[in-house]
Amino acid sequence: MPQVKIIAKNFMDMVAALPAMKLDKLYDNAFICEAVLRSLPPLAKKYVMQMLYIDVSVTAKSLEEQVLPDGFSKHKVAIDRLLQLRIFVQSIDRKRETSYKLNPKFQDNLQKYLVYGGSLPREPMPTNITVRLPSPEELEAYAVDQWENFLLQLVTSAQGEKQMGFSSHLLKNFQRGLMSSRENESPKMSEHGFQFLLMDTNAQLWYIIREYISSAQDRGLDPTDLISFLLELSFHVMGEAYNMNSLTEVQTSAVKDLADLGLVKLQQGRKESWFIPTKLATNLSVSLSDTSARKQGFVVIETNFRMYAYSSSKLHCEILRLFARVEYQLPNLIVGAITKESLYNAFENGITGEQIISFLQLNAHPRVAEKIPSVPENVTDQIRLWETDRNRVEMIPSHFYDDFPSKDVFEAACDYAREIGGFLWEDSNKMRLIVRGEAHQDMRDFLRRQK
Amino acid sequence: MSWLKNFENESISFWEGSGNGKRQALYIMVNATKGLFISCDVPMAQFIVSYNASLPASQRFILHMLDSTHMFVQPHVAEMIRSRISEFRDQNTYEKPA
């Protein structure tokens, strides 16, 4: 089963991967310190709190002494994480003893935070200026709508249709990873693109944001500015309005891009304009993988492979079309079937059977979602069977060895091949051996050494 | 002194013809051939064998039939076999017209 490469675990992994200079710069901002603190594993949090008011270095030994033997792996994970994020600064003294100290900036900011509490760089706008704010439901609907439009854009541009007016660099963002566009050819969705469509919203959002940040450099922006703004954004209150005047130039342009994605909603008053963060934005710094609040599903699969999808969304229809045969559409219902041919289509696009099954399970209609299993077993089994049917023949580049001068040499060669993990097949009567192609060089060297 | 002969992409028959008489006890002469190791189920193996047999002698690609589910073939035929199999599969399915 091939691993899907594009799922990164969360925002913090990305922060941790920043170079030291940039990280130190990030910690200037108290919010980031808090966001980072929140993201830490429990034990790491405890260490930070413990060391918060200690100004001298603490030896690694004294930390280790607090740990019970079976908690040692957790301790190591915590320390590694803290070092990665440069919250702990490591120093090794003359006696080769390691000791840790809290990053002074981080420490300072957190101490202040404890005393004064956090305040955002901008306050929500008073309600007399913002005439009518959208209700939480409206806001949610808006966010979902924007997001779907964005994804639909991905699907339709893959089909060579006309663009719908998204800012071009945003589109380019995911085209880079998700589409394979060759010169003079309309962009085609790549394997990653298809897999991307089947991921859940949080994973998708995270992927896009990551691409957005990493492409910031190409546009001449400092990724740290973007990261700190995005983290800050996640501390804003959902549904409150914030004045656009309070933003820097970089942030303004970022906000506009984020509005396209449905992370914020832009509104214009008579004089001022403001932005309203949606749920998508406030979820951003929370470890994105474990937001369990899932949207309602819509798909019912029957044991006869018929599929009923209660949805009027064009995007849903396009996604289902990836692996099922859509037969007709009613205003609120898409009817189709999962057939061998439709699945082969999907497999050819690089979608795996497991991904299809997990998509169906994640998006099961509430009526069937309560049942176990939510997707009939015969259907999931058949999907897996059809998939393995495609891989019935396994071909491995390899080398075939024969004409061994003696049984001893042959057996030594077999043993050696097993040792280096390249052994595929042997016939001891006829002294024939097949070894993986990668191992050929080693085999050759080995046989040379045999006198 | 020992050495290894390596004829990549060269068929084994070359060795059978000219190798035997010249082999000297002094050297370790292990013959290596580059190719693809195929493992599959029996029906698939039969399919590949019959496909191989349908080709003119110069294009046959099976170098060694190892047992009923394994064979060793020339290195460049992977795509050809794959497309043959999917063609065969398509012939055996029927898609309802839209």
Side-chain angles (χ1 to χ4, degrees):
Chain A
M1 183 81 164
Q3 285 282 313
V4 189
K5 265 181 257 150
I6 43 181
I7 299 179
K9 264 175 268 131
N10 55 43
F11 208 20
M12 281 309 152
D13 283 345
M14 176 156 183
V15 174
L18 285 174
M21 280 266 296
K22 299 239 158 117
L23 259 179
D24 285 348
K25 200 179 142 205
L26 270 183
Y27 291 145
D28 280 340
N29 185 324
F31 283 101
I32 292 165
C33 296
E34 198 199 338
V36 168
L37 181 67
R38 280 189 194 180
S39 77
L40 294 174
L43 194 60
K45 269 184 206 162
K46 179 189 172 286
Y47 288 152
V48 172
M49 292 328 247
Q50 217 173 357
M51 311 250 297
L52 193 54
Y53 283 94
I54 301 177
D55 292 326
V56 292
S57 313
V58 174
T59 58
K61 222 184 232 162
S62 68
L63 272 181
E64 268 165 40
E65 275 165 5
Q66 307 172 12
V67 187
L68 290 174
D70 53 341
F72 199 73
S73 62
K74 276 186 189 161
H75 167 80
K76 241 185 104 51
V77 168
I79 294 288
D80 280 353
R81 191 72 183 161
L82 289 169
L83 287 175
Q84 242 177 23
L85 284 165
R86 284 183 55 80
I87 297 174
F88 271 16
V89 184
Q90 191 175 22
S91 57
I92 298 170
D93 64 10
R94 267 165 296 151
K95 281 178 248 153
R96 289 265 182 94
E97 281 210 62
T98 323
S99 55
Y100 305 115
K101 197 169 176 301
L102 269 190
N103 185 328
K105 256 187 199 168
F106 187 86
Q107 191 174 21
D108 201 40
N109 267 328
L110 268 191
Q111 284 176 359
K112 274 192 209 143
Y113 197 86
L114 265 187
V115 179
Y116 303 111
S119 64
L120 279 168
R122 57 192 73 84
E123 291 288 312
M125 289 169 73
T127 39
N128 54 0
I129 303 179
T130 56
V131 193
R132 202 185 69 89
L133 287 179
S135 70
E137 291 81 34
E138 280 170 341
L139 203 62
E140 171 103 37
Y142 164 84
V144 170
D145 216 45
Q146 279 301 83
W147 185 246
E148 287 206 348
N149 260 334
F150 182 68
L151 290 184
L152 195 60
Q153 175 72 35
L154 175 73
V155 180
T156 50
S157 73
Q159 291 165 351
E161 280 175 32
K162 260 198 82 191
Q163 315 256 324
M164 289 192 298
F166 272 101
S167 63
S168 59
H169 67 255
L170 251 184
L171 263 182
K172 251 185 229 140
N173 260 335
F174 55 52
Q175 279 180 352
R176 256 197 341 189
L178 303 174
M179 314 266 228
S180 58
S181 54
R182 291 196 200 96
E183 302 254 333
N184 307 326
E185 240 179 75
S186 61
K188 269 187 72 185
M189 216 189 295
S190 70
E191 203 176 302
H192 287 326
F194 286 108
Q195 294 176 349
F196 175 80
L197 280 180
L198 296 186
M199 292 196 278
D200 67 295
T201 314
N202 279 325
Q204 286 172 336
L205 177 66
W206 160 235
Y207 179 78
I208 293 289
I209 291 295
R210 206 173 50 142
E211 283 292 307
Y212 182 66
I213 292 171
S214 63
S215 75
Q217 244 154 348
D218 307 343
R219 284 177 284 129
L221 297 176
D222 188 349
T224 33
D225 288 345
L226 268 182
I227 291 177
S228 72
F229 178 59
L230 284 168
L231 284 179
E232 214 175 273
L233 196 63
S234 64
F235 282 91
H236 288 51
V237 183
M238 182 186 108
E240 294 279 357
Y242 296 92
N243 201 324
M244 289 281 273
N245 292 342
S246 59
L247 299 176
T248 65
E249 205 176 308
V250 175
Q251 293 171 340
T252 316
S253 80
V255 157
K256 282 183 184 142
D257 289 335
L258 298 178
D260 282 345
L261 293 176
L263 265 72
V264 294
K265 185 175 168 63
L266 299 179
Q267 276 191 338
Q268 188 107 39
R270 226 172 298 161
K271 273 192 219 142
E272 326 243 353
S273 57
W274 56 86
F275 67 93
I276 310 160
T278 69
K279 206 168 150 193
L280 287 176
T282 44
N283 274 350
L284 205 55
S285 82
V286 195
S287 178
L288 280 168
S289 45
D290 59 30
T291 0
S292 51
R294 263 204 271 109
K295 52 186 180 192
Q296 241 187 9
F298 58 97
V299 188
V300 179
I301 305 279
E302 291 183 341
T303 49
N304 57 5
F305 292 83
R306 307 225 11 108
M307 180 185 74
Y308 301 92
Y310 291 88
S311 168
S312 47
S313 145
K314 203 177 160 204
L315 175 70
H316 286 158
C317 185
E318 290 302 330
I319 291 179
L320 294 175
R321 224 185 268 279
L322 292 179
F323 60 85
R325 173 194 154 95
V326 173
E327 283 167 357
Y328 52 89
Q329 255 180 298
L330 302 177
N332 70 338
L333 177 68
I334 303 162
V335 180
I338 293 181
T339 67
K340 194 173 173 180
E341 292 74 26
S342 69
L343 279 176
Y344 276 158
N345 247 335
F347 295 149
E348 243 144 65
N349 285 327
I351 303 175
T352 66
E354 266 334 297
Q355 284 170 332
I356 294 172
I357 292 169
S358 79
F359 175 83
L360 292 175
Q361 283 166 345
L362 278 176
N363 289 291
H365 191 278
R367 278 286 176 81
V368 287
E370 305 156 6
K371 292 183 188 160
I372 297 171
S374 54
V375 180
E377 255 166 351
N378 72 320
V379 176
T380 51
D381 285 350
Q382 189 64 68
I383 291 176
R384 290 193 190 103
L385 281 176
W386 277 332
E387 190 183 22
T388 47
D389 188 44
R390 257 173 63 88
N391 306 324
R392 271 167 82 178
V393 179
E394 192 186 12
M395 301 186 198
I396 305 169
S398 53
H399 276 86
F400 178 96
Y401 303 88
D402 59 356
D403 276 357
F404 283 93
S406 70
K407 197 98 187 163
D408 291 343
V409 178
F410 173 74
E411 268 160 16
C414 284
D415 290 343
Y416 181 70
R418 281 202 179 84
E419 218 172 89
I420 59 174
F423 179 84
L424 286 174
W425 183 88
E426 66 159 329
D427 177 350
S428 50
N429 289 334
K430 293 188 187 156
M431 295 205 287
R432 299 190 298 184
L433 167 68
I434 295 179
V435 178
R436 283 176 187 280
E438 309 89 270
H440 178 57
Q441 196 58 44
D442 289 338
M443 285 303 286
R444 211 156 117 165
D445 295 343
F446 173 78
L447 289 168
R448 273 218 183 102
R449 267 180 270 132
Q450 304 288 311
K451 284 212 170 169
Chain B
M1 180 186 169
S2 76
W3 58 291
L4 172 81
K5 276 260 173 187
N6 176 25
F7 285 87
E8 296 200 331
N9 300 334
E10 199 88 274
S11 90
I12 284 297
S13 59
F14 173 84
W15 267 99
E16 282 165 356
S18 59
N20 282 344
K22 290 177 188 168
R23 186 177 294 164
Q24 293 182 13
L26 207 62
Y27 303 138
I28 289 186
M29 304 264 274
V30 176
N31 182 25
T33 319
K34 192 180 173 185
L36 283 176
F37 176 68
I38 294 185
S39 63
C40 55
D41 48 68
V42 179
M44 265 302 144
Q46 283 306 313
F47 174 79
I48 296 171
V49 167
S50 82
Y51 171 49
N52 182 57
S54 74
L55 293 173
S58 61
Q59 286 174 34
R60 292 197 183 153
F61 53 82
I62 297 185
L63 302 178
H64 298 278
M65 198 62 208
L66 306 171
D67 54 40
S68 61
T69 57
H70 295 97
M71 62 188 92
F72 190 76
V73 301
Q74 283 179 1
H76 58 271
V77 294
E79 257 329 290
M80 194 165 82
I81 294 177
R82 286 230 167 82
S83 68
R84 255 298 142 127
I85 292 171
S86 72
E87 244 172 65
F88 174 68
R89 208 169 25 219
D90 287 344
Q91 281 167 12
N92 286 311
T93 54
Y94 169 72
E95 192 172 4
K96 192 165 82 176

